[in-house]
Amino acid sequence: MKKETDKPEVVEETPKYILLQSEFTLSYTTADCFVNDKAVENKTEPKLSAKEFCIEKQKSFYDSFLKRHFKNVVILTAAGTSMDNGAKDTSGKTREGLWDYCNTEIDAFADSIKDFKTKPFYISKDIEGLLSHLILFEKLNGVIKKDEVVLRETLESKIAEACKLKLQPHAPHKDFLNKIIARKPSDPRVQLFSTNYDLLFETAANDSGFVVIDGFSFTQPRKFSGRYFDLDIVNREKTRIKQEESFVSKVFQFYKLHGSLNWFKDSSENVVQQENPSKPLIIYPASEKYESSYEQPYFEMMSRFQQALRKENTLLIVIGFGFQDKHIQNAIIEAVEQNPSFQLLIVNYNSTEGIETTCLKSFFVDESKKQVKRNVNIVFDTFSDFTKKYPSNNTYIEPNKETGNESL
């Protein structure tokens, strides 16, 4: 029995980690900043909080790591980058937020599917689980209609509508592109891969005068063919003088792994770009997305992603990706384990104010000890804050010329 004189138990605060490397970690509590789990003295003037002091040390990591020369730079972006597009009504949605946005279209299935609202996917607001269930249900029972309207198609249209985002003035996309693509003219082009359907990066590129090699023809209508990824833009006059390729700056390659709101298939089965198509060509979040990834044009995109990760001296930066797409995750794991000169930087953000390891178990030697594999680096940051902290390479940054006539 507890005596009145017994002192109350002191609950020790669990450190929040904001940087994990194989031999270096940064974490903090309310009182202390820790390097390799050892408290370090805070001598800053004026004195910063433990969290602020830890973030300053994280910036030092960015400065040293991201200024290293990597021959190949590959970026993978996902929903987290779209969620950093300003206020709640102008940004992308979480899976739960997408469920709430489509609530009316989802509840329309209740009359056709027995015990619909007691299903695990309904209770947990799992949009992917819902769509997977609907696809299986339709294979066994036929499509669900109401007033001759196919309800799943109505739901998919609402999902696509949720992704029609307008780039906000203070969104980080433009700054990110300007920083990441400032490289030596002799270096290979930066390759940007995205699972997002929205057009935020395309808008940012267009507004900032970038040329995007996206797998579509340079003629109208813009038709897709994988061979267009092998084209590039050089300065012909300078190339003649130097007798070597003189690459034009502000060009990058862009791959949309799950399709795009401005893609559609025409009557000849060509994949074409068009503004606001009635039925955009996208892979909806369902279990069948793995099968769809082996169809064109998605197969071409995925193949290029795998090839990019197998090249020597490659840095892959992953931002806003939850590692729930197994085919993408497996390609990254293969690079970590098989490519000796590969480096992975995961920008992880969640509501806990520290790195969440649940979906990152494959990248750890010992998760309980927060020990990651030798070529894995994990930081806790939003897309916006990561962009602000990303060190500028002013040698190769060109001033942004607002000419008004630049196009993709």
Side-chain angles (χ1 to χ4, degrees):
M1 188 172 177
K2 194 171 184 179
K3 298 179 182 178
E4 289 185 9
T5 55
D6 289 347
K7 293 181 180 180
E9 289 185 21
V10 177
V11 179
E12 188 175 346
E13 185 179 356
T14 302
K16 296 178 176 66
Y17 287 83
I18 64 170
L19 171 62
L20 296 175
Q21 290 183 288
S22 60
E23 297 180 355
F24 186 79
T25 64
L26 279 177
S27 58
Y28 70 93
T29 58
T30 304
D32 293 297
C33 169
F34 300 89
V35 174
N36 293 336
D37 298 319
K38 293 182 180 179
V40 293
E41 188 177 357
N42 184 350
K43 295 182 179 180
T44 56
E45 290 291 344
K47 193 167 184 177
L48 300 173
S49 68
K51 180 179 179 180
E52 292 168 338
F53 184 42
C54 199
I55 289 173
E56 286 301 308
K57 289 190 170 295
Q58 185 195 53
K59 288 179 183 176
S60 297
F61 159 75
Y62 286 148
D63 283 339
S64 60
F65 183 80
L66 293 171
K67 282 184 177 179
R68 289 167 54 183
H69 179 258
F70 294 96
K71 182 178 180 181
N72 300 290
V73 174
V74 183
I75 315 295
L76 172 64
T77 68
T81 58
S82 297
M83 290 172 64
D84 224 346
N85 184 47
K88 186 176 180 180
D89 60 339
T90 62
S91 65
K93 292 176 171 53
T94 62
R95 294 194 176 203
E96 185 174 330
L98 187 60
W99 182 284
D100 292 339
Y101 183 77
C102 301
N103 191 62
T104 301
E105 290 73 18
I106 291 170
D107 284 350
F109 293 98
D111 294 334
S112 303
I113 300 176
K114 185 179 179 182
D115 300 325
F116 180 71
K117 293 188 178 182
T118 65
K119 303 288 186 187
F121 59 75
Y122 190 94
I123 295 170
S124 61
K125 295 187 175 183
D126 178 7
I127 196 84
E128 183 169 328
L130 164 65
L131 285 171
S132 300
H133 183 86
L134 292 177
I135 291 168
L136 180 60
F137 183 92
E138 290 177 350
K139 286 180 179 178
L140 297 174
N141 304 285
V143 297
I144 303 171
K145 293 183 178 181
K146 185 176 182 180
D147 298 329
E148 297 305 310
V149 176
V150 179
L151 294 187
R152 181 162 67 89
E153 291 183 355
T154 302
L155 173 58
E156 289 176 345
S157 295
K158 192 65 179 288
I159 291 172
E161 179 185 298
C163 298
K164 291 181 179 179
L165 306 175
K166 183 178 180 181
L167 186 69
Q168 297 303 297
H170 300 295
H173 298 68
K174 293 180 185 179
D175 286 343
F176 179 74
L177 288 178
N178 275 299
K179 285 185 173 183
I180 200 72
I181 293 169
R183 284 160 53 80
K184 293 179 180 179
S186 58
D187 283 337
R189 299 297 192 188
V190 168
Q191 294 177 282
L192 174 58
F193 293 82
S194 182
T195 60
N196 296 337
Y197 313 139
D198 61 61
L199 307 177
L200 295 181
F201 275 110
E202 290 95 323
T203 303
N206 196 59
D207 289 350
S208 299
F210 284 92
V211 176
V212 183
I213 308 295
D214 58 3
F216 285 82
S217 65
F218 293 94
T219 57
Q220 297 294 335
R222 299 197 68 209
K223 294 181 181 179
F224 177 83
S225 174
R227 66 189 177 89
Y228 292 120
F229 283 123
D230 298 321
L231 302 182
D232 211 322
I233 300 176
V234 299
N235 188 315
R236 188 168 57 183
E237 292 301 320
K238 289 184 178 179
T239 297
R240 285 174 178 169
I241 295 170
K242 296 180 180 180
Q243 296 301 308
E244 61 183 28
E245 291 178 336
S246 180
F247 289 104
V248 171
S249 61
K250 302 196 76 168
V251 178
F252 68 97
Q253 296 177 343
F254 191 33
Y255 307 80
K256 303 193 79 169
L257 294 165
H258 287 171
S260 181
L261 290 178
N262 63 345
W263 294 5
F264 83 107
K265 274 191 177 180
D266 64 16
S267 57
S268 301
E269 292 296 298
N270 295 309
V271 178
V272 181
Q273 280 192 6
Q274 178 182 301
E275 188 174 349
N276 294 320
S278 57
K279 192 173 182 181
L281 188 63
I282 58 180
I283 298 178
Y284 289 95
S287 58
E288 284 201 346
K289 64 186 174 184
Y290 307 116
E291 295 177 28
S292 300
S293 67
Y294 287 96
E295 300 174 1
Q296 292 292 18
Y298 315 113
F299 183 73
E300 179 71 33
M301 306 285 179
M302 193 63 206
S303 296
R304 297 277 177 163
F305 184 62
Q306 290 175 307
Q307 291 170 22
L309 302 192
R310 290 170 181 164
K311 293 178 181 177
E312 65 175 13
N313 195 13
T314 292
L315 168 65
L316 170 65
I317 302 176
V318 179
I319 311 174
F321 180 64
F323 287 90
Q324 295 183 25
D325 294 309
K326 291 294 183 182
H327 57 304
I328 298 174
Q329 178 178 319
N330 289 341
I332 297 173
I333 292 171
E334 180 195 37
V336 168
E337 296 179 349
Q338 302 295 330
N339 187 343
S341 62
F342 177 78
Q343 285 288 329
L344 171 64
L345 175 60
I346 299 171
V347 182
N348 174 272
Y349 184 75
N350 57 80
S351 59
T352 67
E353 297 188 356
I355 294 168
E356 173 56 60
T357 64
T358 305
C359 295
L360 304 175
K361 297 180 186 294
S362 299
F363 303 106
F364 283 82
V365 174
D366 189 330
E367 185 188 0
S368 63
K369 295 180 180 178
K370 297 292 188 291
Q371 184 183 1
V372 295
K373 295 180 178 179
R374 61 166 185 82
N375 48 0
V376 173
N377 312 269
I378 307 175
V379 294
F380 176 82
D381 236 337
T382 63
F383 176 42
S384 181
D385 285 343
F386 175 73
T387 298
K388 289 175 184 175
K389 296 171 190 172
Y390 197 102
S392 296
N393 190 339
N394 296 323
T395 306
Y396 304 112
I397 287 182
E398 286 192 354
N400 183 24
K401 299 174 182 178
E402 299 293 339
T403 59
N405 60 1
E406 303 282 4
S407 60
L408 292 177

